[in-house]
Every structure is written in C-alpha cells, then in structure tokens.
Amino acid sequence: TGEARGYRRDLLTEDTPHDMKEFIFCSRCNGISRKPQFYNGKTFCRTCAAGANGTLDVRVEEFVTRLKCRCPLSTRGCGWLGELGRIEKHLTDCGKLRIECEMGCGGVLERCRRNNHQNICPKRVTKCDYCGQEVQASETNAHITLCQTHPDGEVTCPYKEMGCDVVGIKRKHLDAHLTENVLSHQNLLLREVNQLKLRSDGTTDKLQILQRRDVKMNKRIWTLVALVVMGVAILLSLTYTGWEEIQLNKHSIQSNEQSIQLNSHR
C-alpha cells in the first residue's frame, strides 16, 4: 500500500506455490517482501533487513513482481487487477486514493471525486454575474450584501436620514418599497422641511442680533477714533505752544546778554 515494509498478503489473487512461500514472505513483517533480501537463510524486505548484510535475489524479485494482485483500495471499490510490480504506479492514479483538497478547504476526498468537489468547494473562486468581481464561494453571501449592482444586495432607503426605519431592503425590492410608502415618505419629507424652516428662522434671528451688535460696535469704534484724533490734536497744540515760549525766552536771554555787554564797555 505504498508502505516501506512488505505488501499485505491478502492482495494476492492467486495461490502461491508452496515451495516459494519461504522466499517471498518477509520473516519480520510477514508481508510480501518488497525488494527481497536474504540473510541467514531467511527472506526480509529491504527495509526490514536494514543494517544486515543481506543479498538481493533478482530471480525471486522478478517472481514477486509478477504475482497477480488486487488494488490495496479494493475494499473502497477499486476493481484494478494486475501484477504486483505495477501496483505503485497504479496507486499514483487510483481514483479511490484519498487526497486533500487542492484549494485548501481542508476536505479529504477520493481522487475520483476531485472534479465534483471542485464544483462545490467553499474555497473555489467564482465571479459575480453583476459586477464581475472574483470572490470565494464561501464569501458569496457577504459579497451580495455589499455588491453595488447585485439585485439581492442590500440598499438603504433614500428617506432613512429623514426617519424611515425600514432596513435590509434588497435592491430589487427598493422600487416596491418606495411605491408602497409614498405617503409616509412625503410626511417625513414635510417634517424635514418644517424643521429646516425652523432652523432657518432661528438662524435669521441670530443674524439680525449680530447685525445690531455690529452697528453698536461700529459706533463705539468711531467714537474711540474721534477721541484719539482729538487727543492727538491737543497734544500737538500743546507741543507747539511750548516751543514758541522756548523761542521767546531764548530771544529775551540773548537781548539781556547784549545789554550787559554794552554797559560793561562804558
């Protein structure tokens, strides 16, 4: 069966000559010798004789490989019959051999069912018929929910923000939902308009208050500007007056000095 030791005896489909039994059956594993080795007058599989200095008998090996046998998986329904020497090659193609799913779903199946499994494997890749996106089969339902074009995809009612509480609407049912709820949607729309009007009126009132405040503020600013200008003018006037007094005092001092000088010369 692909094991390193001998083949099972029950695989043989014909009786073995009595005089050959001691040569074809392994003295250690008791199976049909695989690569028969002879050691101390006994037959062993090459694996069973590991470490011993046995010799290979080519004639016995040829005899063993020609024995008629059935597939080791015959209990699962394989009907193959052939020579023992061809059994390994058969097992590489045997439809009853169990293999793991090549797509990685973790499933174990008979090779003959591989094609059928590929059509139902949850890891197989499929393409959305509506948007063309490739998705794993196990994620199809999740994709349909989010797909922007699939009729079974979920959409939101356009009136949700206004208060429509219906959720999980399929795209293909949206038109029916809008048709069946025209009156309720109109009421929601009217309520929204009224709320917007109230908010707008409140905003207008606030704007008018701000405008009035702005007028008062402008008046205060201009009053302050006028006071500043007046203060600057007064300051300049005082500065000029002081300068004139300094000049007059300067001329008076100079005249007194000249008078003193004239009197001293006399």
Side-chain angles (χ1 to χ4, degrees), residues 14-17 19-21 23-24 57-68 84:
E14 60 182 357
D15 291 334
T16 304
D19 58 344
M20 293 296 296
K21 288 184 179 181
F23 297 106
I24 65 175
D57 191 317
V58 177
R59 290 176 300 175
V60 174
E61 182 181 23
E62 289 181 354
F63 178 80
V64 169
T65 58
R66 294 176 182 274
L67 291 173
K68 302 300 181 181
L84 187 62

Side-chain angles (χ1 to χ4, degrees), residues 194-238:
N194 289 334
Q195 291 176 351
L196 289 174
K197 185 177 183 301
L198 291 174
R199 288 197 291 268
S200 176
D201 292 342
T203 302
T204 301
D205 293 340
K206 291 180 181 179
L207 180 60
Q208 291 175 351
I209 293 173
L210 291 175
Q211 288 174 342
R212 287 195 293 270
R213 290 179 180 175
D214 185 56
V215 171
K216 292 180 180 180
M217 186 63 68
N218 285 335
K219 289 181 179 180
R220 292 179 182 177
I221 291 173
W222 284 113
T223 300
L224 290 174
V225 170
L227 291 173
V228 170
V229 171
M230 184 182 298
V232 171
I234 293 172
L235 181 61
L236 291 174
S237 176
L238 293 174

Side-chain angles (χ1 to χ4, degrees), residues 23 76 80 135 139 179 208-209 239 242 249 260 262:
F23 297 106
R76 298 181 189 171
W80 180 86
V135 296
E139 300 175 356
T179 301
Q208 291 175 351
I209 293 173
T239 301
N249 292 332
I260 295 171
L262 288 174

Side-chain angles (χ1 to χ4, degrees):
T1 61
E3 298 173 349
R5 297 182 181 275
Y7 299 104
R8 301 195 326 255
R9 293 192 181 197
D10 62 351
L11 298 183
L12 297 177
T13 58
E14 60 182 357
D15 291 334
T16 304
H18 182 75
D19 58 344
M20 293 296 296
K21 288 184 179 181
E22 61 178 311
F23 297 106
I24 65 175
F25 296 130
C26 176
S27 298
R28 176 165 296 177
C29 69
N30 206 34
I32 306 170
S33 298
R34 189 193 302 259
K35 301 290 183 181
Q37 306 281 316
F38 291 95
Y39 178 72
N40 287 342
K42 295 182 179 180
T43 303
F44 299 90
C45 299
R46 182 167 58 183
T47 301
C48 294
N53 294 322
T55 58
L56 173 66
D57 191 317
V58 177
R59 290 176 300 175
V60 174
E61 182 181 23
E62 289 181 354
F63 178 80
V64 169
T65 58
R66 294 176 182 274
L67 291 173
K68 302 300 181 181
C69 66
R70 61 177 61 85
C71 175
L73 303 178
S74 59
T75 54
R76 298 181 189 171
C78 180
W80 180 86
L81 296 173
E83 294 181 347
L84 187 62
R86 298 178 180 273
I87 198 169
E88 298 295 341
K89 183 178 183 305
H90 162 70
L91 287 174
T92 60
D93 300 320
C94 181
K96 295 299 180 178
L97 185 68
R98 290 179 179 175
I99 59 175
E100 290 187 2
C101 172
E102 300 169 344
M103 298 181 185
C105 74
V108 178
L109 59 144
E110 293 179 346
R111 182 184 282 122
C112 62
R113 301 182 183 278
R114 178 172 53 187
N115 292 338
N116 291 336
H117 175 74
Q118 289 176 348
N119 294 326
I120 60 174
C121 178
K123 291 291 186 179
R124 72 187 187 281
V125 176
T126 62
K127 181 180 289 187
C128 177
D129 294 333
Y130 296 90
C131 70
Q133 181 178 340
E134 292 186 346
V135 296
Q136 284 188 352
S138 59
E139 300 175 356
T140 299
N141 291 335
H143 169 74
I144 290 175
T145 300
L146 301 176
C147 182
Q148 298 299 313
T149 55
H150 200 290
D152 287 328
E154 291 187 1
V155 294
T156 301
C157 175
Y159 294 89
K160 178 182 178 181
E161 299 298 329
M162 299 178 191
C164 180
D165 57 359
V166 178
V167 296
I169 306 173
K170 291 187 177 182
R171 181 173 285 103
K172 63 184 179 182
H173 297 154
L174 179 59
D175 290 341
H177 167 74
L178 295 175
T179 301
E180 295 169 359
N181 295 275
V182 171
L183 183 59
S184 61
H185 286 163
Q186 287 180 345
N187 290 333
L188 292 174
L189 182 60
L190 180 60
R191 185 180 67 181
E192 184 71 15
V193 171
N194 289 334
Q195 291 176 351
L196 289 174
K197 185 177 183 301
L198 291 174
R199 288 197 291 268
S200 176
D201 292 342
T203 302
T204 301
D205 293 340
K206 291 180 181 179
L207 180 60
Q208 291 175 351
I209 293 173
L210 291 175
Q211 288 174 342
R212 287 195 293 270
R213 290 179 180 175
D214 185 56
V215 171
K216 292 180 180 180
M217 186 63 68
N218 285 335
K219 289 181 179 180
R220 292 179 182 177
I221 291 173
W222 284 113
T223 300
L224 290 174
V225 170
L227 291 173
V228 170
V229 171
M230 184 182 298
V232 171
I234 293 172
L235 181 61
L236 291 174
S237 176
L238 293 174
T239 301
Y240 182 72
T241 301
W243 181 81
E244 285 183 333
E245 291 180 356
I246 291 171
Q247 293 298 321
L248 289 174
N249 292 332
K250 182 179 180 181
H251 286 301
S252 177
I253 292 171
Q254 289 176 351
S255 297
N256 291 334
E257 289 178 347
Q258 291 176 358
S259 296
I260 295 171
Q261 289 176 359
L262 288 174
N263 291 329
S264 63
H265 286 302
R266 291 179 183 175

